Amino acid sequence: MEINLILLDLTMPGLTGEETLRRLHKINPAVRVIIMSGYSEGETMQRCASVGVAGYLPKPFEIAELVDRLKLHLS
C-alpha cells in the first residue's frame, strides 16, 4: 500500500512530532506530511523546516478546513 500523505500532530506521548517527522523522512524522503498543531504556524514551521513539511493545519480546525487541505495536497 502506498502512503500519499501523512497528518502528524506535534504533541504526542513518547516520541515528539519532530522526531517522528525525521524518522518518516528517513524511511521515505519524498513523503508529504501536514503538521497539525496548536502552536503558531511560524513557530511550528521553524521547528520543522529543516526536515521539510508539506503544510500546516492549526488546531482546532473545522472538517471543511481539513478536507480543503487534503484536496490541495492529494490532487
Side-chain angles (χ1 to χ4, degrees), residues 39-55:
Y39 296 107
S40 72
E41 180 174 5
E43 178 185 342
T44 301
M45 295 308 273
Q46 184 178 21
R47 288 168 62 185
C48 299
S50 64
V51 185
V53 296

Side-chain angles (χ1 to χ4, degrees), residues 3-37:
I3 296 173
N4 295 309
L5 183 66
I6 296 171
L7 298 172
L8 177 64
D9 196 324
L10 284 184
T11 307
M12 302 184 308
L15 193 62
T16 68
E18 292 101 324
E19 182 58 29
T20 302
L21 184 58
R22 282 187 200 87
R23 290 182 186 197
L24 287 169
H25 278 284
K26 203 173 199 180
I27 294 167
N28 179 359
V31 70
R32 292 178 290 172
V33 178
I34 294 177
I35 297 293
M36 301 181 299
S37 178

Side-chain angles (χ1 to χ4, degrees), residues 5 34 57 62-75:
L5 183 66
I34 294 177
L57 188 61
E62 299 290 327
I63 294 298
E65 292 175 90
L66 175 59
V67 170
D68 288 344
R69 203 60 55 96
L70 292 174
K71 285 180 183 177
L72 174 70
H73 289 283
L74 292 174
S75 56

